[in-house]
Amino acid sequence: MKKTTLFFILCLISFTAFPQVETEALPISWGLNLSHSPEIIKLSLLNFNEVRQQDSINDLDKKMPWRYGIARSLKLDMKKDGLWTVLPNGDKIWQLAIQSPGALNLSLNFNQFYLPEGSRLQLFNSSHTDISRTYTHAENTSNKQLGSWFVTGEILWVEYYQPSFIRDTPHLEINEIIHGYRMGIVNSMIYGSKGFNDSGDCNYDVNCPVGDDFDPKKEILKKTVALLNLGNGYLCSAALVNNTRNDKTPFLLTANHCLEISDPAYWSVRFNWISPNPVCGTAEDSGTMQNNFTMSGAMIRANNNLSDFALVELYNHLPNSWDVAFAGWDNTDEEPVFEVGIHHPNGDIMKICRDDSGAEKVDANGTQVWLIGGGSHGSGNGWEIGTTESGSSGSPLFDENGRIIGQLFAGQSACNGTETNHDYDIYGRLGVSWNAGESAESRMVEWLDPAGTGQPTIETLQNLLNVPDFDISGDLKIYPNPASNSITVINTLYPQLSYDFYSVLGQKLQSGSLSNTMNILSIENLAEGIYFLNLMDGDSKDSITKKIIIER
């Protein structure tokens, strides 16, 4: 009896230890039995013969973003298309469903996007196993454009919800859907291969050790790197960068050649896509996670071909509770002792590479670059650990102090089985980008040193520092409760979230990871009664406990 009482006391403390705020909302239709659904708009089947031939060439060229999808033109307007439903309480739902046969994932571009305050928009698949982040009036911009992150499956549902008290009018027009054809799962019809885990076997996941002199820095720097969706079926890599005001302005650094074929208004980025089960230079598959650390939309601040850099600013600031970081930099253009690259090759989960020879400054046909020597170029022998590939374009190069000194431009490094081919890579130099050109639109200095300090270096700023509370209750949705056969936990914030499931007597019955956006826990073998779900954030080590009732 004492054990039971103690466990209830501990749980009560957990319930009251953290602030209670509104949880992430699910699509309204999921909890309703609507009598009518929109007719699915079915697109024609794509012919991939030419696509396959193009990709076989383009995949070898790091000066080109990596293609994962095909942009398909549409003209859909919520005033004329889809289905409106008025609920008994006066709330309204607008739904649209689009099918692109054979797609592994789908995303949308809105050429008109306006949401009234208090309304929301969500994208999801037919099986309800993948859902976008919730879009609100915060995504409204002056150009009224938005590009979404992708959702798995060949049918994409679009759902807009408007409470009855809203009198303002929404405006949504879709001009493109992106048919993803080689990311996520096996697609033997087209390639006989898969997108996730499709990078070379010599790659090292970012959680693999790369040396005691850099591993502590890497644990922070990986939080700066993002997979960049260009909104047109192509991917690059990018990194958040700090500025001398340390004010968390969401500047994103990537390659100018990624900018040249796309419109940043339709960009979306994903942070913290990191394998919880790292594979280090072997043919095994990395473990994955599915999360919604995504942001949409950016504006160009500066770019220049001289060093192949593009600096954009995301339209929206990142939430203070996101475990990301803003990378420091060094603009002195001094040669590093050694350097490390962190990137997303071939749209894969985050990887890392290291060169111990020290990069050299060279002119690559007019582009001022760092040379990672290898093959017949330079004095080095390529990467000692890992490699880069197509899709790594724009990824940051860090010096031995963990400061950005450039972004990936091109190169011939690749995997030869589980070994690197010891060839070269080249990165545009941040030291050149700093004062390139004759205006703020062609150089970095005005943006990354807005205070005019003249300082040559700055350190990485962690977003989570000085956050007073572990606000886990506001970023999870746990349903149903009471439950009968399974519990779903939607996690939109914590990439290192884990759980322990206890009986009322304190016996641990289950444990595991909840790092995905959508996590399903089976409880069909448990008896009816009261249980406790303890959730822990692996970064802060804070936790909270939720009471779960099982009844049938």
Side-chain angles (χ1 to χ4, degrees):
M1 187 62 181
K2 291 182 179 179
K3 183 175 182 180
T4 304
T5 303
L6 176 61
F7 193 70
F8 270 116
I9 292 173
L10 291 175
C11 289
L12 182 60
I13 293 173
S14 294
F15 288 144
T16 58
F18 307 105
Q20 301 295 308
V21 298
E22 184 181 356
T23 57
E24 180 78 9
L26 293 173
I28 291 293
S29 66
W30 288 17
L32 302 174
N33 185 21
L34 298 178
S35 58
H36 294 88
S37 296
E39 183 177 348
I40 296 175
I41 300 169
K42 188 172 182 179
L43 307 181
S44 60
L45 189 67
L46 289 170
N47 186 332
F48 281 90
N49 290 334
E50 184 178 355
V51 171
R52 187 188 303 113
Q53 294 172 358
Q54 293 171 348
D55 287 346
S56 66
I57 299 172
N58 297 346
D59 286 354
L60 303 177
D61 189 352
K62 294 179 190 176
K63 288 188 291 185
M64 295 186 62
W66 187 75
R67 183 166 65 180
Y68 79 94
I70 304 295
R72 311 191 70 177
S73 295
L74 292 173
K75 191 175 182 180
L76 299 173
D77 190 326
M78 72 186 312
K79 296 178 181 177
K80 300 178 295 183
D81 303 293
L83 177 68
W84 281 95
T85 301
V86 180
L87 302 180
N89 64 354
D91 294 354
K92 296 178 181 178
I93 299 175
W94 174 73
Q95 293 178 305
L96 183 76
I98 309 168
Q99 181 176 14
S100 189
L104 300 183
N105 55 66
L106 295 168
S107 59
L108 295 176
N109 287 336
F110 294 86
N111 62 327
Q112 291 293 321
F113 183 93
Y114 175 77
L115 299 183
E117 186 172 358
S119 67
R120 66 176 185 259
L121 180 77
Q122 291 159 298
L123 314 179
F124 53 88
N125 59 8
S126 293
S127 60
H128 293 184
T129 57
D130 197 8
I131 182 174
S132 72
R133 61 183 293 263
T134 300
Y135 298 95
T136 69
H137 74 285
E139 273 73 42
N140 295 339
T141 60
S142 59
N143 61 22
K144 298 183 179 180
Q145 297 172 324
L146 181 133
S148 77
W149 195 255
F150 43 77
V151 173
T152 57
E154 66 173 32
I155 300 178
L156 181 64
W157 285 77
V158 185
E159 181 169 308
Y160 167 78
Y161 169 66
Q162 179 172 305
S164 59
F165 62 82
I166 294 177
R167 296 293 178 261
D168 199 0
T169 302
H171 190 187
L172 295 174
E173 291 183 13
I174 300 168
N175 64 321
E176 282 184 321
I177 188 168
I178 314 301
H179 175 115
Y181 60 90
R182 56 171 179 168
M183 284 190 69
I185 59 174
V186 174
N187 188 357
S188 57
M189 288 178 58
I190 299 172
Y191 280 92
S193 63
K194 52 187 176 179
F196 171 60
N197 281 318
D198 199 33
S199 60
D201 291 339
C202 73
N203 276 289
Y204 279 60
D205 288 331
V206 73
N207 279 343
C208 294
V210 295
D212 293 341
D213 53 355
F214 200 82
D215 284 343
K217 301 180 180 70
K218 178 198 66 178
E219 292 308 303
I220 299 173
L221 297 177
K222 66 185 181 183
K223 300 174 184 179
T224 71
V225 179
L227 177 59
L228 174 58
N229 184 348
L230 301 179
N232 56 5
Y234 289 83
L235 299 173
C236 281
S237 298
L240 284 169
V241 288
N242 196 11
N243 70 81
T244 55
R245 285 186 177 143
N246 290 291
D247 60 3
K248 300 183 182 179
T249 300
F251 289 125
L252 199 70
L253 175 65
T254 189
N256 189 53
H257 67 264
C258 298
L259 175 66
E260 287 176 340
I261 70 162
S262 63
D263 181 350
Y266 293 117
W267 285 9
S268 54
V269 292
R270 179 183 185 182
F271 299 97
N272 288 328
W273 192 30
I274 297 169
S275 175
N277 308 110
V279 172
C280 309
T282 73
E284 299 173 85
D285 286 345
S286 303
T288 188
M289 65 169 64
Q290 179 194 42
N291 60 37
N292 269 336
F293 285 77
T294 64
M295 299 290 288
S296 293
M299 64 193 91
I300 303 172
R301 289 310 190 191
N303 65 293
N304 201 313
N305 280 324
L306 182 62
S307 54
D308 190 49
F309 90 91
L311 185 72
V312 304
E313 182 178 344
L314 298 176
Y315 284 135
N316 292 305
H317 283 255
L318 287 92
N320 286 330
S321 51
W322 278 23
D323 191 11
V324 297
F326 301 80
W329 38 259
D330 186 326
N331 66 32
T332 63
D333 211 31
E334 295 179 0
E335 292 185 349
V337 175
F338 67 87
E339 54 279 344
V340 170
I342 303 179
H343 55 104
H344 287 280
N346 288 5
D348 208 344
I349 207 160
M350 195 182 298
K351 309 294 182 181
I352 191 166
C353 48
R354 172 172 174 154
D355 169 51
D356 289 325
S357 302
E360 311 168 49
K361 290 183 279 189
V362 301
D363 183 311
N365 297 320
T367 304
Q368 304 305 307
V369 300
W370 292 114
L371 171 65
I372 310 297
S376 58
H377 298 273
S379 57
N381 194 31
W383 298 101
E384 274 71 42
I385 293 176
T387 187
T388 66
E389 297 181 278
S390 180
S392 304
S393 286
S395 61
L397 184 69
F398 298 97
D399 66 11
E400 70 276 8
N401 298 306
R403 301 174 184 135
I404 291 181
I405 58 172
Q407 69 289 325
L408 184 62
F409 169 51
Q412 293 296 319
S413 72
C415 288
N416 182 11
T418 57
E419 301 294 327
T420 65
N421 65 354
H422 301 293
D423 218 326
Y424 75 96
D425 268 340
I426 49 179
Y427 288 74
R429 296 190 344 242
L430 187 144
V432 174
S433 307
W434 193 255
N435 282 304
E438 299 180 354
S439 68
E441 290 73 31
S442 61
R443 61 194 182 206
M444 289 184 175
V445 56
E446 283 87 351
W447 307 105
L448 300 190
D449 188 17
T453 65
Q455 64 192 78
T457 65
I458 195 171
E459 301 306 318
T460 296
L461 176 68
Q462 294 193 68
N463 193 48
L464 273 180
L465 291 182
N466 301 319
V467 174
D469 292 306
F470 176 53
D471 193 14
I472 197 167
S473 61
D475 302 290
L476 296 175
K477 180 71 175 180
I478 302 171
Y479 72 96
N481 191 16
S484 57
N485 296 315
S486 66
I487 301 168
T488 298
V489 180
I490 293 184
N491 170 20
T492 61
L493 194 60
Y494 301 98
Q496 304 298 327
L497 190 69
S498 62
Y499 80 95
D500 293 315
F501 198 72
Y502 292 95
S503 70
V504 72
L505 297 177
Q507 178 186 11
K508 185 188 294 187
L509 304 173
Q510 297 180 23
S511 62
S513 171
L514 295 174
S515 57
N516 291 336
T517 297
M518 186 168 292
N519 308 270
I520 299 176
L521 309 181
S522 174
I523 55 171
E524 60 183 357
N525 294 326
L526 299 179
E528 290 185 320
I530 295 175
Y531 296 82
F532 295 95
L533 180 64
N534 180 260
L535 307 170
M536 175 178 286
D537 174 38
D539 288 319
S540 67
K541 305 304 180 186
D542 288 324
S543 65
I544 192 169
T545 299
K546 298 287 187 179
K547 181 172 73 173
I548 302 294
I549 299 173
I550 298 179
E551 61 181 36
R552 300 179 178 92

